[in-house]
Amino acid sequence: MEARSAATDGTATDGAAAGRKVLLIGWRITTLAALRGLGARVWCVATPDVYARFGHQADVEGAVLVSDCADVEEILCALRRAGLGPEDFDVVCSQQEFSLVATALIAGDASPIRPRTAVMLRDKYLQKRRIAEAGLPVAGCRILSDADALHGVRGELPVVIKPILGASCAHTYVARDERQLDDALGGFRADGFTGPFLVEEFVTGAEHHVDGIVRDGEPVFLGISRYLQNVIELRSGAVSGSVALAPAAYGALYEKVGSLARTALDALGHRDGVFHMEVFADGDRVVFSECAGRVGGGPIDQLVRAHFGVDLHLEWAKLVFGEEPSAPVRASDEVHGYVLLMAPGAGTVRRIPSAEEMRARDGVVFGRPMVRPGHVITAPTAASDVHVGEAVVRGATEDDVVKRLHEINEWFRANTDLD
């Protein structure tokens, strides 16, 4: 499977998308740009706070404001108040994790993902059960109703405890011993999360993310990246990032992961679109972890673009309209990696490095702060989406890239001032 790429200058095409009406549920500027770049007319459902901050970044036909982009009732009511309905659009879609099921339910035949598939891509228990039925290695798991029931896992440690419908490792804990289980119980109480809980067998091995494109049930592109440290370690201060792995150097891994991805996507019913999958590799063994039907979060899209030459947002948008993926291109000879940049602690941001300062650093090909001065940081290690900056770097070797990722992370923390 080779990387695929396409022109990303944002110009409209004469393809299947030109002039068609799209309702995008959940604001994401890169998604909007991809749809608009194909010539589609886009309306967007967004929350007021997001639209106030980012609404100026994209030209849309109209914005429909709601308090929750995952609430079917609220979205339908807001559309009607605006004189619109799902039937007014050729395509109703989303690139947000928590809006996937709502979008499929609202859209009917206008959605690129059917409700059954959307549920499989969101519910971690159903997903793992389906993967196990398909004969793939996956962590055993079960559902416990409340925090009191969690005390019963003390004889099963180590385990991972998480929400059934979670994302970005929020409310996710590893309990290797009774102390860590007590810490998890305390964390759930502090966060006000009362269950139900998914309890998973702890899986060893290095965690990788697999980002790709599936067309007619066949993965036509996938890129594998190895996390700097397994994501579950984020709460203990791990640096969150990854290094993209070259297919030529990791042929055996690509073969194993490609086979696993093909079977897993078929089992989940995800036949057309993009995917963000996570697996554990331990020697010759590759174990399925999770799969989402969207572009990976953080700067993973930028990493895939830099290393593999693939614009996942554009390829997703093309598949939404039934267009074929772009022609293959050769992956970069350089090594690339990304890192999520955390603040030095909790507090109010007084100063944060600019995108220009970040890109001036040696080897940085993409960088941006995620917040502005005045932003209040409450829990800098609570989840992989609680970060204040992002960067993608390049280098001649994996060691060079890992070194640069840690360097920019340390520099960013040292130059972020809090009150």
Side-chain angles (χ1 to χ4, degrees):
M1 283 168 284
E2 296 179 274
R4 296 171 179 266
S5 183
T8 57
D9 59 4
T11 56
T13 72
D14 295 325
R20 297 181 72 184
K21 298 172 67 176
V22 177
L23 179 65
L24 178 67
I25 298 180
W27 187 276
R28 190 169 184 176
I29 184 62
T30 44
T31 303
L32 282 164
L35 293 167
R36 294 276 297 161
L38 291 177
R41 301 173 60 200
V42 184
W43 283 254
C44 188
V45 175
T47 57
D49 58 331
V50 169
Y51 187 69
R53 288 179 62 192
F54 304 112
H56 66 282
Q57 293 181 346
D59 181 19
V60 295
E61 303 290 332
V64 178
L65 302 184
V66 297
S67 65
D68 184 357
C69 288
D71 189 316
V72 173
E73 178 184 55
E74 186 177 7
I75 293 170
L76 288 174
C77 290
L79 285 170
R80 292 301 177 194
R81 291 196 299 270
L84 298 167
E87 66 277 3
D88 296 319
F89 299 94
D90 299 301
V91 173
V92 180
C93 56
S94 180
Q95 264 293 292
Q96 290 194 347
E97 178 79 11
F98 295 111
S99 300
L100 197 63
V101 173
T103 300
L105 290 171
I106 289 168
D109 290 341
S111 171
I113 297 180
R114 296 293 178 260
R116 183 179 181 86
T117 299
V119 167
M120 285 295 168
L121 291 169
R122 282 289 296 125
D123 189 295
K124 304 301 188 293
Y125 174 77
L126 292 175
Q127 187 173 108
K128 285 180 165 60
R129 189 173 69 178
R130 181 62 59 86
I131 294 300
E133 291 170 352
L136 295 174
V138 62
C141 64
R142 61 191 175 104
I143 295 173
L144 294 180
S145 59
D146 54 39
D148 287 340
L150 286 179
H151 288 283
V153 307
R154 292 184 184 275
E156 305 171 23
L157 306 179
V159 296
V160 175
I161 308 170
K162 62 173 67 172
I164 303 169
L165 302 177
S168 304
C169 77
H171 306 302
T172 299
Y173 293 85
V174 59
R176 295 182 178 86
D177 53 36
E178 293 205 8
R179 180 189 61 80
Q180 288 189 329
L181 178 59
D182 290 336
D183 288 345
L185 291 168
F188 290 132
R189 283 194 299 270
D191 294 339
F193 184 71
T194 58
F197 301 91
L198 184 66
V199 178
E200 296 180 354
E201 169 191 9
F202 182 80
V203 177
T204 59
E207 190 174 8
H208 296 65
H209 60 88
V210 185
D211 302 278
I213 302 165
V214 58
R215 176 62 165 157
D216 293 329
E218 180 67 23
V220 295
F221 159 74
L222 64 82
I224 305 173
S225 304
R226 183 180 58 247
Y227 284 111
L228 300 178
Q229 294 170 276
N230 290 3
V231 177
I232 196 68
E233 306 300 336
L234 184 60
R235 287 186 180 275
S236 60
V239 176
S240 182
S242 72
V243 175
L245 305 181
Y250 291 89
L253 180 63
Y254 269 85
E255 184 176 351
K256 289 185 176 69
V257 171
S259 176
L260 180 146
R262 184 179 296 104
T263 302
L265 292 167
D266 181 66
L268 299 174
H270 189 37
R271 296 184 54 81
D272 291 284
V274 297
F275 61 91
H276 174 67
M277 187 179 293
E278 290 173 337
V279 301
F280 293 94
D282 192 358
D284 292 333
R285 187 168 184 249
V286 176
V287 179
F288 177 93
S289 177
E290 295 180 355
C291 182
R294 56 169 172 81
V295 177
I300 286 176
D301 56 346
Q302 298 295 331
L303 173 64
V304 172
R305 184 198 296 256
H307 188 73
F308 298 104
V310 175
D311 183 338
L312 289 172
H313 298 286
L314 180 59
E315 299 302 329
W316 167 82
K318 293 177 71 174
L319 288 169
V320 160
F321 295 106
E323 296 186 20
E324 291 300 317
S326 304
V329 297
R330 188 172 182 272
S332 173
D333 290 328
E334 293 185 294
V335 181
H336 293 81
Y338 88 86
V339 63
L340 302 183
L341 303 169
M342 298 293 187
T348 301
V349 177
R350 187 171 73 248
R351 181 193 180 278
I352 193 165
S354 67
E356 292 75 16
E357 289 176 289
M358 294 168 68
R359 289 193 293 266
R361 302 286 298 177
D362 189 30
V364 174
V365 298
F366 171 83
R368 65 183 173 194
M370 303 300 293
V371 301
R372 298 176 179 177
H375 179 81
V376 177
I377 300 167
T378 55
T381 62
S384 59
D385 63 346
V386 184
H387 57 281
V388 294
E390 301 174 342
V392 175
V393 309
R394 66 183 179 188
T397 68
E398 290 182 22
D399 288 344
D400 290 339
V401 167
V402 171
K403 182 173 181 288
R404 283 176 173 170
L405 291 174
H406 283 282
E407 285 175 347
I408 192 170
N409 183 57
E410 293 168 4
W411 169 84
F412 190 89
R413 289 168 65 90
N415 286 275
T416 298
D417 298 331
L418 305 176
D419 288 329

